[in-house]
Amino acid sequence: MPTYDQMLARLSCDTTLPQIPMAATKLCQLVDQELISQEVLRTVASDPALTAGLLRSASSPLYALSPKPVTEMRTALSILGVRGTKSVSMSVLMQSVMSGSQRSRLDPVRFVQHSTFVGIMAKYVFLRRKQTSPFVSSVNGDELFAAGVLHDLGTGLVAIGFPEEFNRVSSEAEFRGCSFQTVFEEQFGPIGAITLGAFRAWKLPQVFATLVGPENGESGEDVARAALAYSDYLAVANGYGLGTESAVAPSEDVLGLVALPESELVGAVAQVASHTESCLIRPRAA
């Protein structure tokens, strides 16, 4: 059985990590120019999954700028904006990575549904809190969406790189009714370090590590972090968990910062569930 250090080393090295769509990472760099250049359009056109993801997202009710589906890429990029385009690129990246998890018990469609639900809900909660009780933050809602999509990356990488260990830990978690993360960290170590190692190897934007990594007391992004934790709880509580784990309520501090009113909660969950399906590139499992 591999040690935690062996897992961490293998899943933090760009030569042993799953290959990611280069167009998605290149697009993140290009859109920093805040221009829809010919190079941007060529990059998108080089990856059918990225093209589909951007068009579907721009047509989603999440943006609701047109009653008709968006079919022209320049229009889609204008609707999504710089940060929105980056966040969709990260969603495409995650869906591409998870296509390699067939050897484990992990359901890649369910995994992507969970991650996407968390990302969209986190953005909703964050922006609602900013509207009702304004605060200063360097994080944008689209960046928080992308961080939500990537927050369980470590779990997915263990499923791909170490399927036997994933299956054993997953079976025990299912038997105990707790999360995969709980059992993995009891037996190996912090799964968040695997996520952060992949971020560094793939050279993803630092903002994702700031939001998903251990709290260092310096980022000042308490609301954004709370929105992620609350959204992860809502995902599990409403059938968008990774497995059969029971939902564990977040801390009082998290609830105090971002909890939605009961009168709004059911409608918000239904809306986010609908948006989640519109963001998925691959069809749902039969």
Side-chain angles (χ1 to χ4, degrees):
M1 184 172 73
T3 66
Y4 175 72
D5 287 343
Q6 289 171 331
M7 286 186 177
L8 184 60
R10 180 174 172 184
L11 298 175
S12 301
C13 178
D14 60 358
T15 60
T16 53
L17 278 168
Q19 293 297 303
I20 60 174
M22 295 305 296
T25 53
K26 183 178 180 182
L27 184 60
C28 277
Q29 299 167 354
L30 290 174
V31 296
D32 277 337
Q33 304 167 16
E34 302 197 25
L35 295 172
I36 305 175
S37 65
Q38 287 301 313
E39 187 175 5
V40 168
L41 294 173
R42 283 194 298 270
T43 298
V44 174
S46 72
D47 190 316
L50 185 57
T51 299
L54 290 165
L55 290 174
R56 286 171 66 93
S57 294
S59 301
S60 165
L62 193 63
Y63 292 92
L65 297 182
S66 172
K68 298 180 180 179
V70 176
T71 59
E72 207 278 320
M73 186 50 62
R74 188 179 291 273
T75 302
L77 295 176
S78 297
I79 290 173
L80 293 169
V82 171
R83 293 184 175 183
T85 299
K86 283 185 176 183
S87 67
V88 173
S89 298
M90 292 301 99
S91 180
V92 172
L93 181 152
M94 177 64 86
Q95 293 182 63
S96 174
V97 167
M98 293 315 301
S99 66
S101 64
Q102 292 90 343
R103 292 171 55 213
S104 74
R105 297 180 66 211
L106 183 66
D107 181 343
V109 174
R110 187 177 181 89
F111 184 93
V112 172
Q113 286 174 326
H114 167 76
S115 298
T116 305
F117 183 99
V118 172
I120 296 174
M121 179 60 81
K123 177 179 177 178
Y124 178 94
V125 169
F126 179 79
L127 294 180
R128 187 193 183 286
R129 169 67 165 74
K130 200 163 192 178
Q131 182 181 40
T132 57
S133 301
F135 59 92
V136 176
S137 174
S138 62
V139 176
N140 176 276
D142 287 309
E143 290 172 331
L144 190 56
F145 164 72
V149 168
L150 297 170
H151 80 288
D152 274 331
L153 176 61
T155 297
L157 291 177
V158 171
I160 294 169
F162 298 90
E164 292 183 4
E165 283 67 34
F166 177 89
N167 291 345
R168 181 177 55 77
V169 171
S170 180
S171 294
E172 182 172 339
E174 184 175 339
F175 176 76
R176 291 168 51 182
C178 60
S179 69
F180 174 88
Q181 178 178 334
T182 297
V183 179
F184 182 89
E185 295 191 348
E186 289 174 358
Q187 298 186 5
F188 291 99
I191 201 163
I194 293 175
T195 300
L196 296 180
F199 286 179
R200 288 190 293 270
W202 284 335
K203 297 180 174 60
L204 298 185
Q206 177 60 34
V207 64
F208 302 142
T210 299
L211 292 171
V212 175
E215 187 170 1
N216 56 27
E218 298 177 0
S219 69
E221 299 300 348
D222 294 340
V223 176
R225 288 175 176 273
L228 279 174
Y230 181 57
S231 299
D232 198 38
Y233 158 71
L234 290 178
V236 176
N238 290 278
Y240 279 85
L242 292 179
T244 59
E245 71 272 22
S246 301
V248 178
S251 69
E252 290 298 324
D253 288 343
V254 166
L255 293 174
L257 278 174
V258 297
L260 296 174
E262 287 295 325
S263 59
E264 183 181 346
L265 191 54
V266 173
V269 168
Q271 184 180 27
V272 169
S274 175
H275 293 169
T276 294
E277 299 308 319
S278 73
C279 288
L280 299 180
I281 296 171
R282 295 181 176 84
R284 296 189 64 173

